[in-house]
């Protein structure tokens, strides 16, 4: 049988349209490629169209599993954190992570990248997840006075947890450029670089983040101050500057040398994208979360222009609605009408594995066809 789909992906380069997979009666892959070539070579083999895509198991590259019991709510990002996430913090934790991991398992993916806020969730993921992935230990420490003690504690935690690695690897997440002091951003990104730890940072998510770095004003600056965080100048160790962006700040601090994976990256300049490409960082986009938190539209064409690898994530259910990466693929196509199915499938597969530092599974002759994912 030759199975076809709107796009067929073997895990290398871009997915193909007008392509198929020739499968033996024992369900092993005999050949793969453009339909015309397959039909010429195997004229008598029947064809069946399976639907949207045939692909190696995709990746949900950015989740917050511990928020899985927090209901979905759409509101501006700078209000969503204090009014929804902080307000519902009693719902956050291990029980949510268990529910979230079950949803991920049911969604037919090959790997996931999670952000972890408690030792209980970290130990659960390391000890019990049969799904490969990276659990990024999150640091949210804006006060520079905490830097040394948090650094030492974090290094110790990471060392202990790495001994427990099985299917899930230990990574690090420095929450955002405005919520981790410059001292800690520097020292912990150096640890990540030297130890080869996967590193995720939320960057340039909402327009108010860029405004805060440039002018020190705006709704995010006000929201952080009213939550009792130190003023931005104390956290970043410099004054806001009209030429400054969150990406330039991270580059100047040396953080990008650790090749962090940068999450969201919606409100960026062309120079930011060029910098990120130079450092070889991956970027992860979460289209539904960005839409629901009024963050703006991810400038995917700019990333394509500079050859930046893009992965896809759902973010938490509290902003992204579900943890199903196929739903995110559908939303990406809605939000970006000119994007095209092949590019978004690459985001969901190769972009995701690369962002997590994992090997992309490749469809090869002799493989079992049933191990591939089919999206009808
Ligand atoms: Zn996130």
């Amino acid at each position: 049988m030759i199975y076809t789909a709107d796009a067929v992906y073997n895990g290398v380069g871009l997915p193909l349209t007008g392509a198929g997979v020739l499968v033996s009666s024992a369900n092993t892959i005999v050949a793969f490629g453009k339909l015309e070539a397959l039909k010429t070579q195997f004229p008598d083999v029947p064809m069946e169209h399976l639907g949207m895509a045939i692909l190696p198991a995709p990746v949900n590259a950015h989740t917050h599993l511990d928020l899985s019991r927090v209901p979905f709510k759409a509101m501006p990002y700078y209000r969503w954190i204090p009014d929804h996430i902080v307000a519902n913090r009693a719902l956050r934790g291990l029980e949510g992570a268990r529910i979230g991991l079950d949803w991920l398992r049911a969604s037919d993916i090959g790997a996931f990248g999670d952000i972890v806020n408690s030792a209980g969730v970290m130990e659960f993921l390391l000890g019990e997840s049969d799904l490969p992935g990276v659990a990024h230990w999150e640091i949210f420490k804006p006060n520079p006075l905490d830097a040394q003690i948090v650094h030492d504690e974090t290094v110790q935690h990471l060392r202990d947890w790495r001994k427990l690695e099985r299917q899930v690897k230990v990574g690090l997440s420095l929450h955002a450029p405005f919520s981790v002091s410059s001292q800690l951003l520097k020292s912990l990104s150096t640890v990540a670089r030297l130890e080869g730890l996967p590193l995720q940072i939320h960057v340039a998510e909402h327009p108010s983040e860029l405004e805060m770095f440039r002018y020190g004003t705006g709704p995010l600056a006000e929201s952080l101050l009213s939550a009792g965080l130190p003023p931005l100048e104390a956290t970043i160790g410099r004054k806001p500057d009209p030429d400054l962006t969150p990406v330039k700040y991270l580059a100047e601090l040396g953080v990008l040398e650790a090749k962090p994976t940068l999450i969201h990256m919606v409100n960026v300049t062309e120079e930011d994208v060029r910098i990120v490409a130079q450092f070889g960082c991956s970027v992860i986009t979460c289209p539904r979360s960005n839409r629901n938190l009024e963050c703006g539209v991810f400038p995917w064409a700019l990333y394509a222009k500079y050859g930046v690898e893009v992965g896809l994530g759902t973010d938490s259910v509290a902003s992204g609605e579900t943890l199903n990466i196929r739903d995110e693929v559908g939303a990406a196509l809605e939000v970006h009408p000119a994007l095209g199915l092949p590019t978004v499938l690459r985001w969901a597969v190769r972009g995701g594995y690369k962002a997590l530092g994992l090997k992309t599974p490749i469809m090869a002759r002799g493989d079992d066809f049933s191990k591939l994912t089919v999206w009808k």
Side-chain angles (χ1 to χ4, degrees):
M1 183 70 81
I2 296 173
Y3 291 120
T4 67
D6 300 343
V8 179
Y9 194 29
N10 69 346
V12 181
L14 262 188
L16 299 175
T17 55
V21 186
L22 176 70
V23 175
S24 76
S25 51
N27 221 26
T28 55
I29 298 169
V30 179
F32 151 82
K34 282 286 195 186
L35 270 184
E36 290 145 42
L38 287 177
K39 279 195 283 193
T40 312
Q41 226 185 325
F42 307 97
D44 303 325
V45 178
M47 284 202 304
E48 187 183 342
H49 190 79
L50 296 183
M52 183 169 85
I54 299 170
L55 66 169
V59 175
N60 189 342
H62 184 68
T63 62
H64 294 258
L65 297 181
D66 71 344
L67 291 173
S68 298
R69 289 173 66 229
V70 177
F72 164 67
K73 181 131 184 133
M75 66 198 309
Y77 166 78
Y78 53 84
R79 294 267 31 112
W80 181 83
I81 294 183
D83 294 356
H84 192 57
I85 296 306
V86 177
N88 281 301
R89 62 186 176 279
L91 295 176
R92 190 169 199 173
L94 183 56
E95 205 185 323
R98 283 184 191 280
I99 295 168
L101 185 63
D102 284 344
W103 283 336
L104 284 185
R105 279 203 196 96
S107 73
D108 206 13
I109 53 168
F112 68 102
D114 191 36
I115 303 293
V116 178
N117 271 278
S118 70
V121 171
M122 179 60 88
E123 281 151 23
F124 160 67
L125 291 175
L126 294 174
E128 294 185 42
S129 175
D130 47 5
L131 196 59
V134 179
H136 304 84
W137 177 244
E138 184 164 69
I139 304 296
F140 189 114
K141 292 286 179 187
N143 190 338
L145 297 176
D146 293 342
Q148 189 60 51
I149 188 160
V150 174
H151 174 91
D152 294 345
E153 274 172 13
T154 304
V155 168
Q156 189 58 49
H157 277 320
L158 295 172
R159 216 171 264 158
D160 293 344
W161 288 326
R162 288 184 87 184
K163 293 178 193 148
L164 307 176
E165 285 181 342
R166 291 186 308 127
Q167 287 288 61
V168 171
K169 305 256 171 275
V170 175
L172 181 65
S173 166
L174 301 168
H175 172 261
F178 58 83
S179 57
V180 180
S181 66
S182 60
Q183 289 88 335
L184 262 182
L185 281 174
K186 237 182 186 169
S187 72
L188 286 178
S189 64
T190 302
V191 170
R193 178 169 58 83
L194 296 175
E195 301 281 327
L197 282 174
L199 177 60
Q200 291 199 348
I201 311 177
H202 299 84
V203 185
E205 183 165 354
H206 190 271
S208 57
E209 183 178 336
L210 185 58
E211 182 183 355
M212 184 168 67
F213 273 81
R214 286 182 162 162
Y215 308 109
T217 56
L220 182 59
E222 285 160 23
S223 163
L224 295 173
L225 281 177
S226 66
L229 269 69
L232 182 71
E233 278 181 50
T235 298
I236 70 173
R238 58 180 291 179
K239 286 195 182 311
D241 178 336
D243 284 335
L244 193 61
T245 67
V247 170
K248 278 166 86 173
Y249 165 67
L250 292 177
E252 284 168 23
L253 266 188
V255 173
L256 299 189
E257 282 160 33
K259 287 199 189 190
T261 291
L262 307 175
I263 317 301
H264 301 306
M265 293 287 283
V266 177
N267 298 281
V268 292
T269 63
E270 183 156 358
E271 191 189 0
D272 288 340
V273 176
R274 200 165 34 225
I275 291 170
V276 163
Q278 275 165 6
F279 280 97
C281 301
S282 287
V283 164
I284 292 173
T285 183
C286 308
R288 285 182 297 174
S289 178
N290 291 161
R291 184 175 62 190
N292 293 326
L293 303 186
E294 300 175 24
C295 293
V297 177
F298 178 71
W300 68 270
L302 207 48
Y303 291 103
K305 178 177 170 185
Y306 289 94
V308 174
E309 191 76 60
V310 176
L312 196 63
T314 58
D315 226 347
S316 71
V317 293
S319 65
E321 302 168 62
T322 73
L323 296 180
N324 192 319
I325 201 66
R326 192 187 167 169
D327 297 341
E328 206 64 48
V329 165
L333 293 169
E334 265 171 43
V335 171
H336 310 291
L339 181 63
L341 183 60
T343 301
V344 75
L345 292 181
R346 183 180 161 107
W347 289 2
V349 180
R350 191 157 176 83
Y353 285 104
K354 284 184 91 172
L356 298 177
L358 302 175
K359 206 165 160 255
T360 307
I362 307 289
M363 178 200 302
R365 262 188 265 177
D367 284 353
D368 184 352
F369 181 74
S370 63
K371 287 196 177 145
L372 291 174
T373 297
V374 175
W375 282 344
K376 293 198 188 311

